[in-house]
Amino acid sequence: MAAAPVWSVDPRTGKQREQVAVEATAAEVDAVVRAAHEARDALADRGVRAALLRRAADVLDGADERIVAAADAETALGTGRLTGELARTTYQLRAFADLVEEGAFLDVRIDHADPALTPPRPDLRRYKIPLGVVAVYAASNFPLAFSVPGGDTASALAAGCPVVVKAHPDHPATSELSAALLRRAAADAGVPEAVVGLVHGFDAGIELVRHPLIAAAGFTGSVRGGRALYDAAAARPHPIPFHGELGSLNPVVVTEAAAEERAEQIGTGLAGSMTLGTGQFCVKPGLVLAPRGPAGDRLERALTDAVGSAGAGVLLDHRMRDAFVDGVRNRAALPGVEAPVPPGAGGEHTVSPGFLTVPAARLADGGAHDLLLEECFGPVTVLARYADEAEIGAVLARLPGNLTATLQLGAAECAGEDGPPDASGNGTGRGARLLAALTPLAGRVLVNGWPTGVAVAPAQHHGGPYPATTSTSTSVGGTAVERWLRPVAYQDTPPALLPPELREDNPLGLPRRVDGRYEG
């Protein structure tokens, strides 16, 4: 049977653009993984890895017009958005190069032997080593930053792990171009091109996670798809770590004080955040708890005006468009739900942004209204009007894990002036109480901002309790490299046999902790 073709499709028309590949067979997946495995030793040197990452960034920047054009043709995300995404992608490649050169991620720890301790302590030296070949499952909504040249690939290469990427079917031509550029960068850096592999096809994705030489996997996508791969990773004879980002509602709580002080600003800001990228960001605010009463009414009017003036947009593919149209229709049909700006089909190939309103008490009751507590991918949010803080707590208690949670507070609440500190110095006011209530729900908690936009920074955390992610790790920021490493300790090992990272004279100049004291 002939291999199935892989087509690049224009989401603005639904028409096929070109055939760019064929779906990989099991034998082809095996060959790509084995080639990556054979190339792993080429990444052992940190200097080589840093050079590869920087060269990859330079090559991508040098092909910026080709990359942006290819991605826009397949995703309809627009050249402005994609130019920014490419800049983010190359920035994080260079950031990981800096991290590799610094070496702190190796977490070197040396405890010298001490026979006087009870019990006596042997000589112990610990650091982290790469796991092996990493499978990366590309995201639909970020064809660069969370796909072939994205954060999973960059962090895995930084750790010393070759990568095999399963391309997303929404942007196969962009994936092929990106992979070719990364392989060119590898050749320029003197590294085998096989350190970056690419496969297409649903079955290839299953074969990839089951392959015995795959040591870990990273995924960004739907709950259904991610959970299937997560279960497959766990069901292997030798289970592997599966770091999946699956879905997030990203709740927002607006206090009455915040609404009284800046209802119009909050309503306009919410509209901008929920419609950004046609509502296709993983951190789009999908549920907003706002107060009943005049201040909340002002917020709703501002949201109505801003969303009502937003134009129709194109989603990443027609399957997503159909799911959005069906999803908002089913939500709008629930008892007590209204649509001040009805979301839905904007045309044969587009969708119109909108929002739904519902009394918060309906969400606390459960039942059919639980549908409103599930992510709906696209430009829609749910404005739940609450009567008091008890209703806020009742709704929050029903939420699953999220990537983000946001508080919109008044000035006095931000300053902690709405309640005296307790004996430990912790705030007791509404702002402090709500912050404490939101913290268990998300990996990133914001105050007086909007969650869309995930800065690439050392302190960033892009993850959260299940189903937001399947692990406690982050996929953005320097600590993303930790996903692809494992610690190993050497006990009473002769100095001549120790790896350079653990030798007494520290020939590589690494930051380390010796006998409990940090040596930078």
Side-chain angles (χ1 to χ4, degrees), residues 300-376:
E300 185 174 329
R301 285 196 295 272
L303 180 62
T304 300
D305 291 343
V307 175
S309 63
V314 177
L315 295 186
L316 293 163
D317 63 37
H318 281 60
R319 175 184 57 82
M320 292 181 186
R321 177 190 175 278
D322 293 344
F324 174 78
V325 172
D326 290 343
V328 295
R329 181 189 300 120
N330 293 337
R331 288 164 172 79
L334 294 171
V337 174
E338 298 180 358
V341 180
E348 183 181 0
H349 307 292
T350 61
V351 296
S352 294
F355 71 97
L356 308 174
T357 63
V358 66
R362 293 271 192 175
L363 301 181
D365 292 340
H369 287 83
D370 280 352
L371 181 61
L372 297 173
L373 304 182
E374 298 177 9
E375 179 184 17
C376 185

Side-chain angles (χ1 to χ4, degrees), residues 20-48:
V20 298
V22 295
E23 295 186 357
T25 64
E28 289 166 338
V29 171
D30 178 67
V32 173
V33 173
R34 290 188 182 280
H37 180 72
E38 290 298 319
R40 70 194 186 283
D41 288 346
L43 297 176
D45 184 272
R46 288 187 300 119
V48 170

Side-chain angles (χ1 to χ4, degrees), residues 240-274:
I240 59 171
F242 183 89
H243 301 285
E245 179 191 323
L246 310 188
S248 185
L249 190 62
N250 305 301
V252 179
V253 177
V254 182
T255 67
E256 188 169 1
E260 288 174 350
E261 293 175 13
R262 46 195 176 85
E264 289 75 19
Q265 178 185 343
I266 293 172
T268 302
L270 171 59
S273 186
M274 58 150 289

Side-chain angles (χ1 to χ4, degrees), residues 47 82 112 238 267 371 430 482:
L82 290 165
H112 292 107
H238 297 283
L371 181 61
R430 174 170 290 188
E482 295 173 359

Side-chain angles (χ1 to χ4, degrees), residues 5 8 13 33 48 52 59 86 99 105 145 151 153 207 249 254 256 258 270 327 331 361 422 429 472-473 497-498:
S8 173
T13 64
V33 173
V48 170
L52 167 59
V59 169
L86 178 59
L99 179 142
F105 73 100
T153 296
E207 292 290 339
L249 190 62
V254 182
E256 188 169 1
L270 171 59
R331 288 164 172 79
D422 61 18
T472 59
S473 300
L497 302 183
L498 285 170

Side-chain angles (χ1 to χ4, degrees), residues 457-461 476-479:
Q460 184 60 272
H461 186 82
V476 179
T479 53

